[in-house]
Amino acid sequence: MVLWVALVVPFASRYRPNRWYSHGLSVLLAVLTSYGAALAIRTFLFQPFSTPAGSMTPTLELGDYFFVSKFAYGYSRYSVPLGLLPFERRIFAAEPKRGDIVVFKFPADPSIDYVKRVVGLPGDKIQMVDGILRINGVAVKLEDVGPYSSEDSPQSARLQRETLPNGVSYSVISLTDNSITDNTRVFDVPEGHYFVLGDNRDNSSDSRLSVGFVPAENLVGKAVRLFWNSQGTEYSSRQRLDAPAGQ
């Protein structure tokens, strides 16, 4: 509707149809134009997504709505609804950086969208040891912030601050010690793929489990800004999702 108003109202005073059928054609043209513009924006610029689960808590809470930049990593067949673009891989491709929050198509079922954080790039060796992320054999900085409390979190839950080698820093949650994902094998990230984790480390299906490595082709875009929460959760302090390193 906003697009319709922006595109049609400025020209409304100039167009005076003098046939009964012209009114219908003008409405049809306005509808097609607005839908076409909306599809173009959704495909090539920004697309809204929601958070249906808690795997990215505390960065993204249940009920959050956020915008994804579709041009951040270029375009693939998954950039268009129903996969209508007739090409493989990506065009205008750019590589995600460590710490980026990305939306991607679940490799086992591309009809499902996932949102996670990129921590491993092609060629990296990734491992979890005692709940600490290790990249190429080096443990990343992990600081304990204090207890974490929510409606469904155990008393043992802790809020932590993780800082990647490139300086990107963000909060993560450890619900319990010695969960099944706190200690893993070494994952060798293949070329053209990425390793992703949820910020809610003990409650996330990610590259440690069923998601596996994420092909570059499956990337939909980069999460950049949170704009609403459907459950009334405060979000003003969490709006920017692509803060530079060190922020």
Side-chain angles (χ1 to χ4, degrees):
M1 288 301 295
V2 172
L3 283 171
W4 185 88
V5 171
L7 292 170
V8 175
V9 169
F11 302 98
S13 60
R14 305 179 189 178
Y15 182 64
R16 305 291 186 184
N18 54 11
R19 296 289 187 272
W20 65 269
Y21 53 79
S22 298
H23 292 277
L25 289 176
S26 64
V27 172
L28 177 61
L29 178 61
V31 170
L32 292 177
T33 301
S34 60
Y35 273 97
L39 179 62
I41 291 173
R42 184 182 187 275
T43 299
F44 299 108
L45 298 178
F46 297 97
Q47 180 178 347
F49 285 86
S50 63
T51 310
S55 69
M56 281 297 293
T57 305
T59 305
L60 291 172
E61 300 282 359
L62 191 66
D64 279 349
Y65 282 73
F66 57 95
F67 285 117
V68 164
S69 168
K70 301 295 287 291
F71 54 85
Y73 309 130
Y75 306 97
S76 74
R77 57 180 172 152
Y78 296 120
S79 300
V80 175
L82 305 178
L84 297 178
L85 284 181
F87 54 79
E88 298 296 326
R89 300 189 179 180
R90 305 191 76 82
I91 60 173
F92 308 116
E95 186 175 89
K97 297 180 176 61
R98 285 196 186 92
D100 284 1
I101 300 173
V102 299
V103 170
F104 60 92
K105 296 293 184 179
F106 181 37
D109 183 359
S111 67
I112 302 174
D113 295 316
Y114 271 57
V115 55
K116 305 291 178 185
R117 188 183 297 276
V118 173
V119 298
L121 305 178
D124 282 345
K125 295 181 182 296
I126 304 296
Q127 186 180 21
M128 298 295 295
V129 177
D130 295 330
I132 299 175
L133 173 65
R134 298 178 70 90
I135 301 176
N136 298 323
V138 179
V140 305
K141 184 178 180 181
L142 186 67
E143 302 170 280
D144 186 72
V145 177
Y148 175 79
S149 178
S150 68
E151 292 182 0
D152 54 357
S153 63
Q155 291 185 345
S156 59
R158 306 290 297 180
L159 184 66
Q160 301 171 320
R161 191 77 180 174
E162 186 171 82
T163 304
L164 297 177
N166 61 355
V168 174
S169 183
Y170 46 87
S171 296
V172 298
I173 296 172
S174 174
L175 295 178
T176 182
D177 293 331
N178 301 316
S179 71
I180 61 171
T181 51
D182 276 351
N183 291 280
T184 70
R185 66 178 176 87
V186 176
F187 295 90
D188 293 304
V189 185
E191 287 300 315
H193 293 72
Y194 300 92
F195 193 95
V196 298
L197 293 177
D199 290 349
N200 192 348
R201 290 294 160 81
D202 298 324
N203 187 27
S204 173
S205 177
D206 47 43
S207 290
R208 299 170 295 180
L209 299 170
S210 61
V211 171
F213 301 117
V214 178
E217 180 187 16
N218 287 50
L219 296 175
V220 174
K222 176 183 178 181
V224 292
R225 194 166 187 85
L226 197 163
F227 65 90
W228 187 54
N229 183 279
S230 62
Q231 301 189 3
T233 303
E234 190 277 333
Y235 63 88
S236 61
S237 62
R238 300 182 290 114
Q239 282 186 298
R240 188 169 183 182
L241 301 175
D242 63 339
Q247 292 190 15

